[in-house]
Amino acid sequence: MITQSALIFTSGLIFLFFSSPQNGKSYITDPYLTIFLLLLFTIAPSILLYAFARATLSRYINRFSRFRFLIREPYHYGLPFGILALCGFVAQIYYLQTPIVIRKFLYFFNFTNIRLMICIIPLVFSILLNRLSIYKLNRLMFGQASSRKDFLLPDLKLMLLPSIPFGASLLISDIIEHTPLNVRIFFIKQYYIYWLIVLSIALIMFIKSPYFIRHIWKTAILPDGAVRQRIEALAKKTGLKYKDILVWKIGDKNFANAGMAGLLRKSRYIFITDSLLDNLSIDEIEAIVAHELGHIKYKHILTYMLYSFGYLIFFAFVYAIFHPLFKDIHFGTVATALLGAIATISVFFIYFIFIFRYFSRQFERQADLYAISVLDNPESFKSALIKVARINHIPLQMPRFAEIFRTHPSIFERLSLVDKAIVGNSEALRYTNPIFSFRKTAAIITAFLLILVFTRKDFLFFTSDIHYEIGRQYANEGMLDAAINEFNKAVISNPKSTD
């Protein structure tokens, strides 16, 4: 699941690599002013977050009881002030022109894409400072017991994890840029090979996700005892396989949770936090694990993987529709780059916040109903939900508008659904039907690809862009006649590019 920090970080990467520095110099020539503004854009969001949230928590919590769940939980301040940190980062790129500064001081480092990644460091610091403010607010509100390191380090690792395939793709791109001319031209013409390599790296990471998770959090194998015996008996009863059961060493009494990771049976683990083991009865722990087994039963991990890769098709579909419009509109290089980045991030947020989380809530309902179907005491699942909500300071009920941003339905809705399912209500039982099937998924993907191919054959890279890139490679080698020939082909392919 993509965290708030990872969303902001990924958005920052998009803005960074859409940027087009102008005139080779910064708008501000005074180095001291540049440093001051860089620090201001980096630190200010976290200071504002802490000041605003503390003032709100102390003065207004009793006045707005309807929205108390939003005001009382410091976590909810993370996204809006994370967006503020992102705005500060955009100002660093497009106003302070930090890519130009990095290029100037690291001119000797020829891997240009990797060099550009250094510009993301201030955003990472800004996000971590925001998280530090939330940590302090959590200690103020709930007496959080974890240390700063235990609170910040997992979030940092989760934030940077999505950047691994991104960074790998940039490294591959830089390596290709340093290969012989015929190799570079081959990859430009056969651009799909590059994307197949990147997708393969992402797929390997997805399969190996339990390995990464075990190194993000402190984990230990659940020792022999009543809890392990109960979980193993439940798994044997349901016929669902996993490699082992691990205990998350969270060290935070305000975080009780469980999870499951691993696409393949031999690499699949069930994770249970130490707080869950300390605060719930054996029946309730079994109920929570039964919910996680429901995710295995309905192949939700595989569906999440297909859905994540489906973003590329969704983006390509939107790109094929709107890219010609961007090519015909001239706002200036910086404005066009900024507009392109905003459009890309908008598609990213729509897909992963609204569409993705809608299906995530459906999957949680399915797992809930599976849990009560295999438990001898379904009431234990209800009491487990209530306890987990109390420990994690999750409101039992929330306004409908707030729920669309969450990966899980409200506790009240989940309890209501369980009650309906216990008495055989048909409205509740419809969630037991698979939401996705391989045939439906394959049909949807095929339909999107056919629409893309028949509506625009060159939907990912326009022919003019390919000729331009080949011409640029020839120009870099000093082969000016060949370069001019390719540039002419680019103009013929897209005459509007000369406007």
Side-chain angles (χ1 to χ4, degrees):
M1 201 61 64
I2 300 179
T3 64
Q4 288 182 359
S5 298
L7 282 172
I8 300 301
F9 180 78
T10 304
S11 300
L13 288 175
I14 294 172
F15 274 112
L16 178 60
F17 283 90
F18 265 87
S19 64
S20 299
Q22 295 296 293
N23 304 320
K25 61 182 180 180
S26 174
Y27 291 116
I28 299 178
T29 57
D30 186 345
Y32 295 104
L33 180 58
T34 300
I35 294 173
F36 171 76
L37 290 176
L38 182 64
L39 291 173
L40 179 66
F41 292 147
T42 302
I43 299 172
S46 61
I47 297 174
L48 292 173
L49 187 158
Y50 185 79
F52 176 81
R54 181 154 187 176
T56 304
L57 291 168
S58 61
R59 297 181 183 180
Y60 300 110
I61 190 169
N62 294 322
R63 300 185 186 183
F64 301 97
S65 57
R66 182 181 177 184
F67 303 105
R68 183 174 298 178
F69 79 97
L70 285 174
I71 298 172
R72 188 171 182 267
E73 177 54 73
Y75 171 81
H76 292 110
Y77 294 94
L79 185 58
F81 284 92
I83 293 174
L84 184 61
L86 180 63
C87 292
F89 177 68
V90 171
Q92 295 171 28
I93 297 171
Y94 290 89
Y95 182 63
L96 299 182
Q97 298 279 321
T98 49
I100 295 175
V101 177
I102 295 297
R103 185 175 65 192
K104 178 180 178 181
F105 285 97
L106 297 178
Y107 64 90
F108 55 87
F109 189 71
N110 293 325
F111 279 42
T112 55
N113 287 320
I114 299 299
R115 183 177 64 193
L116 191 60
M117 282 287 286
I118 297 174
C119 297
I120 204 72
I121 292 175
L123 179 61
V124 174
F125 274 108
S126 187
I127 293 172
L128 289 178
L129 287 173
N130 276 358
R131 294 292 298 166
L132 182 61
S133 295
I134 292 173
Y135 168 80
K136 290 181 176 296
L137 290 165
N138 277 336
R139 287 184 68 90
L140 178 68
M141 287 291 296
F142 311 121
Q144 187 165 352
S146 61
S147 65
R148 289 185 182 90
K149 179 181 176 181
D150 291 338
F151 184 82
L152 294 177
L153 192 58
D155 197 73
L156 175 63
K157 292 178 180 179
L158 281 174
M159 177 175 60
L160 298 180
L161 190 61
S163 70
I164 293 178
F166 186 81
S169 69
L170 296 179
L171 180 60
I172 293 170
S173 179
D174 279 336
I175 291 174
I176 292 173
E177 194 68 21
H178 288 77
T179 57
L181 177 62
N182 59 331
V183 176
R184 281 176 272 157
I185 292 177
F186 171 80
F187 275 100
I188 293 171
K189 290 181 176 179
Q190 313 298 331
Y191 57 84
Y192 61 87
I193 295 178
Y194 169 81
W195 289 109
L196 286 175
I197 295 172
V198 174
L199 286 174
S200 298
I201 294 172
L203 179 61
I204 292 171
M205 282 195 61
F206 203 98
I207 293 173
K208 290 293 185 180
S209 60
Y211 171 83
F212 292 106
I213 291 174
R214 291 187 67 182
H215 287 77
I216 290 174
W217 287 290
K218 297 177 183 178
T219 60
I221 295 175
L222 180 69
D224 291 331
V227 174
R228 174 174 277 276
Q229 291 173 4
R230 183 72 71 90
I231 293 174
E232 289 176 346
L234 178 64
K236 185 176 181 180
K237 174 183 175 181
T238 59
L240 299 173
K241 306 293 185 181
Y242 58 88
K243 184 173 183 178
D244 212 337
I245 309 166
L246 300 177
V247 180
W248 282 350
K249 298 286 187 177
I250 300 294
D252 182 2
K253 298 302 181 182
N254 296 325
F255 185 71
N257 205 347
M260 183 271 299
L263 185 62
L264 305 177
R265 183 179 64 184
K266 292 184 179 180
S267 62
R268 183 182 297 144
Y269 288 88
I270 294 174
F271 297 86
I272 306 174
T273 64
D274 43 11
S275 181
L276 192 79
L277 293 172
D278 293 339
N279 290 280
L280 272 66
S281 67
I282 293 180
D283 285 349
E284 290 165 341
I285 295 171
E286 179 189 29
I288 296 297
V289 173
H291 170 92
E292 299 306 323
L293 293 178
H295 289 304
I296 299 176
K297 175 67 176 178
Y298 284 101
K299 298 181 174 62
H300 289 162
I301 296 296
L302 178 60
T303 306
Y304 280 137
M305 184 192 74
L306 293 174
Y307 193 88
S308 297
F309 288 128
Y311 168 72
L312 298 176
I313 297 173
F314 179 76
F315 179 79
F317 182 73
V318 175
Y319 180 88
I321 294 174
F322 291 101
H323 185 255
L325 300 177
F326 281 102
K327 291 181 74 69
D328 295 338
I329 300 174
H330 303 281
F331 295 111
T333 307
V334 173
T336 302
L338 191 58
L339 186 61
I342 292 172
T344 301
I345 291 171
S346 298
V347 173
F348 181 80
F349 269 72
I350 289 171
Y351 191 85
F352 282 105
I353 296 296
F354 296 107
I355 303 176
F356 186 84
R357 292 190 177 186
Y358 167 78
F359 286 112
S360 175
R361 292 192 297 274
Q362 299 293 86
F363 294 157
E364 295 303 323
R365 294 182 181 103
Q366 278 191 329
D368 287 349
L369 297 186
Y370 180 80
I372 64 171
S373 71
V374 299
L375 292 172
D376 295 329
N377 178 22
E379 292 296 324
S380 63
F381 181 70
K382 294 170 60 178
S383 62
L385 282 180
I386 294 172
K387 279 189 179 180
V388 168
R390 177 177 53 80
I391 295 169
N392 295 338
H393 305 287
I394 299 173
L396 296 181
Q397 196 170 4
M398 65 183 69
R400 179 65 64 179
F401 83 91
E403 192 172 308
I404 64 175
F405 296 98
R406 301 179 70 93
T407 57
H408 290 59
S410 68
I411 300 297
F412 177 82
E413 182 184 336
R414 295 174 71 179
L415 293 172
S416 177
L417 182 69
V418 167
D419 286 334
K420 291 177 181 178
I422 290 175
V423 298
N425 183 283
S426 58
E427 179 185 353
L429 295 177
R430 66 186 174 88
Y431 288 109
T432 59
N433 299 322
I435 296 173
F436 281 108
S437 68
F438 290 109
R439 290 183 180 180
K440 288 181 180 179
T441 303
I444 292 171
I445 293 174
T446 302
F448 268 102
L449 288 175
L450 289 175
I451 292 171
L452 288 170
V453 170
F454 284 107
T455 55
R456 195 167 195 94
K457 188 176 180 180
D458 51 358
F459 61 90
L460 281 179
F461 289 97
F462 286 78
T463 304
S464 59
D465 295 334
I466 293 175
H467 285 302
Y468 173 80
E469 283 300 317
I470 295 175
R472 189 175 66 85
Q473 298 300 329
Y474 281 131
N476 290 339
E477 296 293 327
M479 303 169 64
L480 299 183
D481 290 339
I484 292 171
N485 183 46
E486 290 296 330
F487 291 147
N488 287 334
K489 289 179 181 179
V491 173
I492 293 172
S493 301
N494 183 22
K496 293 182 180 180
S497 63
T498 60
D499 294 347

mmCIF file of all heavy atoms in Angstrom, residues 1-2 7 10 304 307-312 314 345-358 360 404-405 407:
data_model
loop_
_atom_site.group_PDB
_atom_site.id
_atom_site.type_symbol
_atom_site.label_atom_id
_atom_site.label_comp_id
_atom_site.label_asym_id
_atom_site.label_seq_id
_atom_site.Cartn_x
_atom_site.Cartn_y
_atom_site.Cartn_z
ATOM 1 N N MET A 1 0.835 -1.196 0.000
ATOM 2 C CA MET A 1 0.000 0.000 0.000
ATOM 3 C C MET A 1 0.876 1.254 0.000
ATOM 4 O O MET A 1 1.864 1.322 0.712
ATOM 5 C CB MET A 1 -0.894 0.001 1.244
ATOM 6 C CG MET A 1 -2.121 0.885 1.100
ATOM 7 S SD MET A 1 -3.227 0.382 -0.237
ATOM 8 C CE MET A 1 -3.735 -1.230 0.361
ATOM 9 N N ILE A 2 0.520 2.199 -0.807
ATOM 10 C CA ILE A 2 1.311 3.414 -0.929
ATOM 11 C C ILE A 2 0.983 4.349 0.226
ATOM 12 O O ILE A 2 -0.160 4.726 0.442
ATOM 13 C CB ILE A 2 1.037 4.113 -2.275
ATOM 14 C CG1 ILE A 2 1.404 3.191 -3.431
ATOM 15 C CG2 ILE A 2 1.822 5.396 -2.379
ATOM 16 C CD1 ILE A 2 1.153 3.796 -4.790
ATOM 17 N N LEU A 7 3.471 8.907 -1.639
ATOM 18 C CA LEU A 7 2.722 9.673 -2.637
ATOM 19 C C LEU A 7 3.379 11.028 -2.886
ATOM 20 O O LEU A 7 3.553 11.445 -4.041
ATOM 21 C CB LEU A 7 1.276 9.865 -2.183
ATOM 22 C CG LEU A 7 0.315 8.686 -2.341
ATOM 23 C CD1 LEU A 7 -1.002 8.993 -1.653
ATOM 24 C CD2 LEU A 7 0.079 8.369 -3.810
ATOM 25 N N THR A 10 6.815 10.466 -4.642
ATOM 26 C CA THR A 10 6.651 10.119 -6.059
ATOM 27 C C THR A 10 6.225 11.333 -6.872
ATOM 28 O O THR A 10 6.703 11.545 -7.989
ATOM 29 C CB THR A 10 5.615 8.992 -6.215
ATOM 30 O OG1 THR A 10 6.003 7.863 -5.423
ATOM 31 C CG2 THR A 10 5.494 8.554 -7.667
ATOM 32 N N TYR A 304 -3.786 -6.779 -6.628
ATOM 33 C CA TYR A 304 -3.081 -5.513 -6.386
ATOM 34 C C TYR A 304 -1.919 -5.352 -7.379
ATOM 35 O O TYR A 304 -1.677 -4.245 -7.883
ATOM 36 C CB TYR A 304 -2.541 -5.466 -4.957
ATOM 37 C CG TYR A 304 -3.566 -5.102 -3.913
ATOM 38 C CD1 TYR A 304 -3.634 -5.782 -2.706
ATOM 39 C CD2 TYR A 304 -4.457 -4.066 -4.135
ATOM 40 C CE1 TYR A 304 -4.571 -5.443 -1.735
ATOM 41 C CE2 TYR A 304 -5.395 -3.712 -3.169
ATOM 42 C CZ TYR A 304 -5.455 -4.412 -1.978
ATOM 43 O OH TYR A 304 -6.379 -4.071 -1.033
ATOM 44 N N TYR A 307 -3.304 -4.583 -10.757
ATOM 45 C CA TYR A 307 -3.861 -3.228 -10.747
ATOM 46 C C TYR A 307 -2.743 -2.189 -10.770
ATOM 47 O O TYR A 307 -2.869 -1.157 -11.442
ATOM 48 C CB TYR A 307 -4.726 -3.036 -9.510
ATOM 49 C CG TYR A 307 -5.580 -1.794 -9.571
ATOM 50 C CD1 TYR A 307 -6.845 -1.822 -10.152
ATOM 51 C CD2 TYR A 307 -5.120 -0.594 -9.061
ATOM 52 C CE1 TYR A 307 -7.616 -0.677 -10.223
ATOM 53 C CE2 TYR A 307 -5.892 0.554 -9.131
ATOM 54 C CZ TYR A 307 -7.139 0.504 -9.700
ATOM 55 O OH TYR A 307 -7.895 1.646 -9.781
ATOM 56 N N SER A 308 -1.646 -2.462 -10.063
ATOM 57 C CA SER A 308 -0.524 -1.520 -10.056
ATOM 58 C C SER A 308 0.081 -1.392 -11.447
ATOM 59 O O SER A 308 0.356 -0.289 -11.923
ATOM 60 C CB SER A 308 0.541 -1.979 -9.058
ATOM 61 O OG SER A 308 0.017 -1.987 -7.743
ATOM 62 N N PHE A 309 0.273 -2.529 -12.124
ATOM 63 C CA PHE A 309 0.794 -2.479 -13.485
ATOM 64 C C PHE A 309 -0.244 -1.910 -14.451
ATOM 65 O O PHE A 309 0.117 -1.335 -15.481
ATOM 66 C CB PHE A 309 1.233 -3.869 -13.939
ATOM 67 C CG PHE A 309 2.482 -4.353 -13.273
ATOM 68 C CD1 PHE A 309 2.532 -5.586 -12.654
ATOM 69 C CD2 PHE A 309 3.618 -3.565 -13.243
ATOM 70 C CE1 PHE A 309 3.681 -6.031 -12.032
ATOM 71 C CE2 PHE A 309 4.773 -3.994 -12.616
ATOM 72 C CZ PHE A 309 4.816 -5.229 -12.008
ATOM 73 N N GLY A 310 -1.515 -2.066 -14.101
ATOM 74 C CA GLY A 310 -2.573 -1.507 -14.937
ATOM 75 C C GLY A 310 -2.526 0.000 -15.007
ATOM 76 O O GLY A 310 -3.060 0.601 -15.952
ATOM 77 N N TYR A 311 -1.849 0.614 -14.018
ATOM 78 C CA TYR A 311 -1.702 2.076 -14.054
ATOM 79 C C TYR A 311 -0.981 2.528 -15.316
ATOM 80 O O TYR A 311 -1.300 3.579 -15.880
ATOM 81 C CB TYR A 311 -0.930 2.553 -12.820
ATOM 82 C CG TYR A 311 -0.483 3.994 -12.911
ATOM 83 C CD1 TYR A 311 -1.407 5.024 -12.812
ATOM 84 C CD2 TYR A 311 0.859 4.316 -13.145
ATOM 85 C CE1 TYR A 311 -0.999 6.355 -12.917
ATOM 86 C CE2 TYR A 311 1.264 5.626 -13.244
ATOM 87 C CZ TYR A 311 0.336 6.645 -13.137
ATOM 88 O OH TYR A 311 0.730 7.948 -13.255
ATOM 89 N N LEU A 312 -0.022 1.727 -15.771
ATOM 90 C CA LEU A 312 0.725 2.090 -16.974
ATOM 91 C C LEU A 312 -0.196 2.153 -18.187
ATOM 92 O O LEU A 312 -0.072 3.039 -19.034
ATOM 93 C CB LEU A 312 1.851 1.080 -17.214
ATOM 94 C CG LEU A 312 2.909 0.990 -16.108
ATOM 95 C CD1 LEU A 312 3.915 -0.102 -16.425
ATOM 96 C CD2 LEU A 312 3.604 2.327 -15.906
ATOM 97 N N PHE A 314 -3.512 2.603 -18.001
ATOM 98 C CA PHE A 314 -4.419 3.722 -17.749
ATOM 99 C C PHE A 314 -3.749 5.041 -18.117
ATOM 100 O O PHE A 314 -4.350 5.900 -18.772
ATOM 101 C CB PHE A 314 -4.820 3.714 -16.267
ATOM 102 C CG PHE A 314 -5.737 4.840 -15.862
ATOM 103 C CD1 PHE A 314 -7.084 4.807 -16.185
ATOM 104 C CD2 PHE A 314 -5.256 5.927 -15.155
ATOM 105 C CE1 PHE A 314 -7.928 5.835 -15.811
ATOM 106 C CE2 PHE A 314 -6.090 6.962 -14.768
ATOM 107 C CZ PHE A 314 -7.439 6.918 -15.110
ATOM 108 N N ILE A 345 0.567 13.986 -12.307
ATOM 109 C CA ILE A 345 0.272 13.731 -10.891
ATOM 110 C C ILE A 345 -1.227 13.598 -10.668
ATOM 111 O O ILE A 345 -1.675 12.785 -9.851
ATOM 112 C CB ILE A 345 0.875 14.853 -10.029
ATOM 113 C CG1 ILE A 345 2.398 14.749 -10.045
ATOM 114 C CG2 ILE A 345 0.363 14.800 -8.601
ATOM 115 C CD1 ILE A 345 3.108 15.907 -9.411
ATOM 116 N N SER A 346 -2.022 14.379 -11.394
ATOM 117 C CA SER A 346 -3.485 14.287 -11.272
ATOM 118 C C SER A 346 -3.967 12.892 -11.658
ATOM 119 O O SER A 346 -4.792 12.289 -10.952
ATOM 120 C CB SER A 346 -4.156 15.342 -12.147
ATOM 121 O OG SER A 346 -3.801 16.648 -11.737
ATOM 122 N N VAL A 347 -3.435 12.376 -12.758
ATOM 123 C CA VAL A 347 -3.798 11.014 -13.180
ATOM 124 C C VAL A 347 -3.357 10.010 -12.121
ATOM 125 O O VAL A 347 -4.096 9.074 -11.776
ATOM 126 C CB VAL A 347 -3.156 10.686 -14.545
ATOM 127 C CG1 VAL A 347 -3.392 9.225 -14.915
ATOM 128 C CG2 VAL A 347 -3.726 11.594 -15.632
ATOM 129 N N PHE A 348 -2.155 10.213 -11.573
ATOM 130 C CA PHE A 348 -1.606 9.322 -10.539
ATOM 131 C C PHE A 348 -2.499 9.295 -9.305
ATOM 132 O O PHE A 348 -2.829 8.222 -8.773
ATOM 133 C CB PHE A 348 -0.201 9.800 -10.178
ATOM 134 C CG PHE A 348 0.504 8.967 -9.147
ATOM 135 C CD1 PHE A 348 1.118 7.786 -9.495
ATOM 136 C CD2 PHE A 348 0.554 9.369 -7.820
ATOM 137 C CE1 PHE A 348 1.782 7.017 -8.547
ATOM 138 C CE2 PHE A 348 1.211 8.614 -6.861
ATOM 139 C CZ PHE A 348 1.825 7.439 -7.235
ATOM 140 N N PHE A 349 -2.935 10.478 -8.842
ATOM 141 C CA PHE A 349 -3.772 10.565 -7.647
ATOM 142 C C PHE A 349 -5.162 9.991 -7.904
ATOM 143 O O PHE A 349 -5.722 9.295 -7.048
ATOM 144 C CB PHE A 349 -3.872 12.014 -7.177
ATOM 145 C CG PHE A 349 -2.812 12.397 -6.182
ATOM 146 C CD1 PHE A 349 -1.492 12.558 -6.570
ATOM 147 C CD2 PHE A 349 -3.124 12.569 -4.850
ATOM 148 C CE1 PHE A 349 -0.510 12.888 -5.659
ATOM 149 C CE2 PHE A 349 -2.148 12.906 -3.924
ATOM 150 C CZ PHE A 349 -0.833 13.071 -4.324
ATOM 151 N N ILE A 350 -5.734 10.282 -9.060
ATOM 152 C CA ILE A 350 -7.066 9.743 -9.383
ATOM 153 C C ILE A 350 -7.036 8.223 -9.362
ATOM 154 O O ILE A 350 -7.932 7.570 -8.819
ATOM 155 C CB ILE A 350 -7.541 10.271 -10.748
ATOM 156 C CG1 ILE A 350 -7.894 11.753 -10.661
ATOM 157 C CG2 ILE A 350 -8.763 9.480 -11.247
ATOM 158 C CD1 ILE A 350 -8.163 12.405 -12.000
ATOM 159 N N TYR A 351 -5.979 7.665 -9.941
ATOM 160 C CA TYR A 351 -5.899 6.208 -10.047
ATOM 161 C C TYR A 351 -5.666 5.561 -8.685
ATOM 162 O O TYR A 351 -6.372 4.623 -8.295
ATOM 163 C CB TYR A 351 -4.763 5.833 -11.001
ATOM 164 C CG TYR A 351 -4.741 4.373 -11.389
ATOM 165 C CD1 TYR A 351 -5.512 3.903 -12.446
ATOM 166 C CD2 TYR A 351 -3.933 3.457 -10.707
ATOM 167 C CE1 TYR A 351 -5.488 2.568 -12.811
ATOM 168 C CE2 TYR A 351 -3.902 2.126 -11.063
ATOM 169 C CZ TYR A 351 -4.673 1.684 -12.116
ATOM 170 O OH TYR A 351 -4.662 0.351 -12.471
ATOM 171 N N PHE A 352 -4.667 6.063 -7.925
ATOM 172 C CA PHE A 352 -4.276 5.375 -6.700
ATOM 173 C C PHE A 352 -5.038 5.839 -5.456
ATOM 174 O O PHE A 352 -5.071 5.108 -4.458
ATOM 175 C CB PHE A 352 -2.769 5.535 -6.466
ATOM 176 C CG PHE A 352 -1.937 4.619 -7.326
ATOM 177 C CD1 PHE A 352 -1.244 5.108 -8.414
ATOM 178 C CD2 PHE A 352 -1.875 3.270 -7.056
ATOM 179 C CE1 PHE A 352 -0.481 4.272 -9.216
ATOM 180 C CE2 PHE A 352 -1.121 2.417 -7.846
ATOM 181 C CZ PHE A 352 -0.418 2.922 -8.933
ATOM 182 N N ILE A 353 -5.635 7.016 -5.490
ATOM 183 C CA ILE A 353 -6.395 7.471 -4.325
ATOM 184 C C ILE A 353 -7.871 7.117 -4.463
ATOM 185 O O ILE A 353 -8.463 6.512 -3.560
ATOM 186 C CB ILE A 353 -6.235 8.995 -4.126
ATOM 187 C CG1 ILE A 353 -4.777 9.341 -3.813
ATOM 188 C CG2 ILE A 353 -7.139 9.490 -2.987
ATOM 189 C CD1 ILE A 353 -4.257 8.775 -2.522
ATOM 190 N N PHE A 354 -8.465 7.459 -5.570
ATOM 191 C CA PHE A 354 -9.910 7.262 -5.701
ATOM 192 C C PHE A 354 -10.261 5.868 -6.243
ATOM 193 O O PHE A 354 -11.015 5.130 -5.608
ATOM 194 C CB PHE A 354 -10.507 8.345 -6.601
ATOM 195 C CG PHE A 354 -10.372 9.721 -6.033
ATOM 196 C CD1 PHE A 354 -9.472 10.623 -6.564
ATOM 197 C CD2 PHE A 354 -11.121 10.116 -4.938
ATOM 198 C CE1 PHE A 354 -9.329 11.900 -6.040
ATOM 199 C CE2 PHE A 354 -10.988 11.377 -4.393
ATOM 200 C CZ PHE A 354 -10.091 12.264 -4.944
ATOM 201 N N ILE A 355 -9.704 5.479 -7.368
ATOM 202 C CA ILE A 355 -10.069 4.188 -7.966
ATOM 203 C C ILE A 355 -9.474 3.034 -7.161
ATOM 204 O O ILE A 355 -10.187 2.100 -6.778
ATOM 205 C CB ILE A 355 -9.598 4.124 -9.436
ATOM 206 C CG1 ILE A 355 -10.192 5.277 -10.244
ATOM 207 C CG2 ILE A 355 -9.986 2.796 -10.059
ATOM 208 C CD1 ILE A 355 -9.703 5.353 -11.680
ATOM 209 N N PHE A 356 -8.173 3.098 -6.907
ATOM 210 C CA PHE A 356 -7.490 2.018 -6.195
ATOM 211 C C PHE A 356 -8.085 1.795 -4.810
ATOM 212 O O PHE A 356 -8.329 0.652 -4.395
ATOM 213 C CB PHE A 356 -6.005 2.346 -6.100
ATOM 214 C CG PHE A 356 -5.161 1.245 -5.521
ATOM 215 C CD1 PHE A 356 -4.701 0.219 -6.310
ATOM 216 C CD2 PHE A 356 -4.834 1.232 -4.165
ATOM 217 C CE1 PHE A 356 -3.922 -0.800 -5.788
ATOM 218 C CE2 PHE A 356 -4.065 0.225 -3.631
ATOM 219 C CZ PHE A 356 -3.600 -0.794 -4.445
ATOM 220 N N ARG A 357 -8.330 2.878 -4.089
ATOM 221 C CA ARG A 357 -8.826 2.718 -2.716
ATOM 222 C C ARG A 357 -10.296 2.302 -2.687
ATOM 223 O O ARG A 357 -10.733 1.691 -1.706
ATOM 224 C CB ARG A 357 -8.604 4.022 -1.936
ATOM 225 C CG ARG A 357 -7.126 4.286 -1.714
ATOM 226 C CD ARG A 357 -6.834 5.408 -0.758
ATOM 227 N NE ARG A 357 -5.394 5.539 -0.549
ATOM 228 C CZ ARG A 357 -4.827 6.353 0.308
ATOM 229 N NH1 ARG A 357 -5.586 7.146 1.063
ATOM 230 N NH2 ARG A 357 -3.514 6.403 0.437
ATOM 231 N N TYR A 358 -11.036 2.583 -3.738
ATOM 232 C CA TYR A 358 -12.407 2.063 -3.823
ATOM 233 C C TYR A 358 -12.369 0.538 -3.843
ATOM 234 O O TYR A 358 -13.095 -0.123 -3.082
ATOM 235 C CB TYR A 358 -13.098 2.597 -5.080
ATOM 236 C CG TYR A 358 -14.387 1.868 -5.406
ATOM 237 C CD1 TYR A 358 -15.558 2.146 -4.716
ATOM 238 C CD2 TYR A 358 -14.407 0.871 -6.375
ATOM 239 C CE1 TYR A 358 -16.732 1.459 -4.987
ATOM 240 C CE2 TYR A 358 -15.568 0.177 -6.662
ATOM 241 C CZ TYR A 358 -16.738 0.477 -5.969
ATOM 242 O OH TYR A 358 -17.896 -0.222 -6.251
ATOM 243 N N SER A 360 -9.893 -1.302 -2.884
ATOM 244 C CA SER A 360 -9.298 -1.758 -1.628
ATOM 245 C C SER A 360 -10.372 -1.941 -0.562
ATOM 246 O O SER A 360 -10.360 -2.929 0.191
ATOM 247 C CB SER A 360 -8.245 -0.760 -1.156
ATOM 248 O OG SER A 360 -7.738 -1.132 0.116
ATOM 249 N N ILE A 404 -13.956 7.993 1.288
ATOM 250 C CA ILE A 404 -13.478 7.744 -0.076
ATOM 251 C C ILE A 404 -11.966 7.892 -0.172
ATOM 252 O O ILE A 404 -11.364 7.440 -1.158
ATOM 253 C CB ILE A 404 -14.160 8.689 -1.094
ATOM 254 C CG1 ILE A 404 -13.781 10.148 -0.825
ATOM 255 C CG2 ILE A 404 -15.652 8.499 -1.092
ATOM 256 C CD1 ILE A 404 -14.319 11.103 -1.861
ATOM 257 N N PHE A 405 -11.330 8.491 0.831
ATOM 258 C CA PHE A 405 -9.879 8.646 0.815
ATOM 259 C C PHE A 405 -9.174 7.515 1.563
ATOM 260 O O PHE A 405 -7.950 7.488 1.615
ATOM 261 C CB PHE A 405 -9.474 9.986 1.440
ATOM 262 C CG PHE A 405 -9.968 11.185 0.685
ATOM 263 C CD1 PHE A 405 -11.117 11.849 1.089
ATOM 264 C CD2 PHE A 405 -9.303 11.636 -0.438
ATOM 265 C CE1 PHE A 405 -11.583 12.954 0.395
ATOM 266 C CE2 PHE A 405 -9.761 12.737 -1.145
ATOM 267 C CZ PHE A 405 -10.902 13.398 -0.730
ATOM 268 N N THR A 407 -8.399 3.371 2.733
ATOM 269 C CA THR A 407 -8.274 2.027 2.161
ATOM 270 C C THR A 407 -9.257 1.048 2.797
ATOM 271 O O THR A 407 -9.524 -0.012 2.227
ATOM 272 C CB THR A 407 -6.848 1.493 2.361
ATOM 273 O OG1 THR A 407 -6.534 1.515 3.762
ATOM 274 C CG2 THR A 407 -5.848 2.350 1.604
#
